[in-house]
Amino acid sequence: MNKNAKGYVFTEPQHPIVENVILERFSNAKNGTTLDPLDIKISDFDDCSYQMKVDKSSPSVMQVNMVMPNLNELKPLGANRILQKTYGPYVMSTPVKGYDISLEISAGKGNIQEVAELISNLKRNILAAPLEDSFDALLAGNSGKIKPMVFNTRKNEQLVIQPQDDRVNVYFSLVFEEETDAALADIFLQEFTEAKRQVGSAPSCKYDRDIPQMIRKMKGIKCGKSTVGFLMFSILKTHIDNGNRDRVITLLLSLRSYVHYHIKASKAHLHTRMRKKVSELLLVLNQAKPNPKEEKKKKKFRTTNIEKS
């Protein structure tokens, strides 16, 4: 987690466990080339998971396998380019059975800090490919020629990219199965629109409970019973120039985790206040109860006067 000066919490784009395992194992490699045996599985957001393995038969090679359900959707949208250009030396020609992509890292080759950062950002970089193409076209002044793109980010959630001549609209469909989460998410998402009025330089933001009119005719967009709504950000050229492109993409891709975290934090805060209030009420009730010992004492000293006839 990354906490800025104003207290807002953002998730880091890289997977910290993947990064730490690579740094630790390769830093402690015997003779700089021999790694200790390893076989661990790591979970991630968005139904993704990793396996990190060092086999005894190949102690100088670490294998990183990843499950990414939407990888095939993203390949024609720029993911293939990212894999070939950025991860080419590490990508195995055939993924390990049960995984969507497999990488191999050899000990003693390259800067281990850079390699760890690159591998731990694998999911982020693959998801960023369609946004990179759209934003690069916007900076070049030909974003109107890019076709709209739709792909799943989770099982029932989607990200829609709609390039226009002077901007790129990015839509998020957000699903929450639990009723309380859905109610809090609805309130929280409305605050994005309200906050825009106070931050003049921020991207234009709009929240709709139904499929927005501008993307309603696009194929493949889902809106089920558990869909809370659609949140749209309108990215202008001024938002991504001066080297801000990658930062904007990272913030957009972490939106779902950001919303989910703050909803859980809000529920925890509400539960804490409820427990505190209940404790205060119980204290008042306990003070209102009569003391049974005092009642017995009163009965003990009570006298009765009997008149003589």
Side-chain angles (χ1 to χ4, degrees):
M1 293 284 186
N2 177 29
K3 190 172 182 180
N4 67 8
K6 293 183 179 180
Y8 296 103
V9 178
F10 300 95
T11 54
E12 298 288 354
Q14 74 274 15
H15 197 298
I17 299 178
V18 173
E19 184 178 30
N20 290 338
V21 169
I22 294 174
L23 289 173
E24 181 182 346
R25 291 286 171 161
F26 280 83
S27 298
N28 297 330
K30 300 173 184 176
N31 302 321
T33 58
T34 304
L35 305 171
D36 293 330
L38 172 72
D39 189 357
I40 60 174
K41 293 184 178 180
I42 307 166
S43 297
D44 198 356
F45 296 115
D46 307 325
D47 302 322
C48 294
S49 62
Y50 297 84
Q51 182 197 39
M52 304 184 73
K53 187 175 182 179
V54 177
D55 197 78
K56 291 182 179 180
S57 60
S58 302
S60 63
V61 176
M62 176 182 286
Q63 198 175 85
V64 180
N65 306 309
M66 184 176 73
V67 173
M68 192 172 184
N70 58 346
L71 180 61
N72 288 330
E73 289 184 67
L74 290 162
K75 281 183 176 181
L77 302 179
N80 271 332
R81 172 181 56 80
I82 292 293
L83 291 174
Q84 293 172 7
K85 181 180 177 181
T86 309
Y87 295 93
Y90 309 104
V91 178
M92 296 172 59
S93 56
T94 304
V96 173
K97 186 177 180 180
Y99 294 89
D100 298 299
I101 183 171
S102 297
L103 308 176
E104 280 188 342
I105 315 168
S106 299
K109 294 183 179 180
N111 184 316
I112 189 57
Q113 185 70 47
E114 294 177 358
V115 172
E117 184 178 353
L118 185 66
I119 302 301
S120 62
N121 275 290
L122 176 61
K123 189 190 79 170
R124 180 266 176 207
N125 290 338
I126 291 175
L127 286 169
L131 288 168
E132 286 182 1
D133 290 343
S134 299
F135 289 168
D136 285 344
L138 179 61
L139 290 171
N142 56 5
S143 56
K145 298 178 182 179
I146 303 293
K147 293 182 179 180
M149 291 170 272
V150 182
F151 60 89
N152 292 298
T153 52
R154 292 169 65 91
K155 184 178 180 180
N156 296 314
E157 294 183 345
Q158 296 169 305
L159 191 148
V160 181
I161 304 172
Q162 186 188 44
Q164 296 182 345
D165 292 334
D166 61 339
R167 67 192 65 203
V168 174
N169 294 329
V170 182
Y171 297 84
F172 295 88
S173 68
L174 296 168
V175 173
F176 289 90
E177 302 288 346
E178 211 273 326
E179 287 187 18
T180 305
D181 287 358
L184 289 172
D186 184 64
I187 297 170
F188 193 80
L189 293 171
Q190 290 181 61
E191 289 298 318
F192 275 91
T193 306
E194 294 298 324
K196 173 62 181 73
R197 300 175 183 176
Q198 301 178 13
V199 186
S201 60
S204 177
C205 179
K206 186 179 180 182
Y207 171 59
D208 293 288
R209 293 188 177 90
D210 198 3
I211 301 176
Q213 187 67 36
M214 293 182 68
I215 61 171
R216 191 164 294 176
K217 294 183 179 179
M218 292 176 62
K219 295 182 179 179
I221 299 178
K222 304 172 185 176
C223 185
K225 293 181 180 179
S226 300
T227 302
V228 175
F230 291 78
L231 188 66
M232 183 273 286
F233 293 97
S234 187
I235 309 298
L236 303 176
K237 187 176 180 179
T238 54
H239 296 132
I240 56 175
D241 59 4
N242 298 323
N244 290 322
R245 187 201 68 169
D246 290 343
R247 180 174 176 273
V248 171
I249 290 175
T250 298
L251 290 174
L252 287 171
L253 293 177
S254 65
L255 174 72
R256 210 281 179 182
S257 300
Y258 171 83
V259 173
H260 195 77
Y261 171 83
H262 283 281
I263 286 172
K264 295 302 181 185
S266 298
K267 289 176 69 175
H269 177 67
L270 290 172
H271 290 164
T272 301
R273 291 185 61 184
M274 289 166 64
R275 285 193 293 269
K276 183 179 179 181
K277 192 65 177 178
V278 169
S279 297
E280 292 175 354
L281 291 172
L282 286 174
L283 184 62
V284 173
L285 287 172
N286 289 333
Q287 291 175 346
K289 287 181 180 179
N291 192 329
K293 291 183 179 180
E294 291 182 1
E295 186 68 22
K296 287 181 180 180
K297 287 180 180 179
K298 289 180 180 180
K299 289 182 179 180
K300 186 176 181 180
F301 293 103
R302 187 176 296 167
T303 58
T304 306
N305 293 325
I306 302 175
E307 294 181 0
K308 293 181 179 181
S309 57

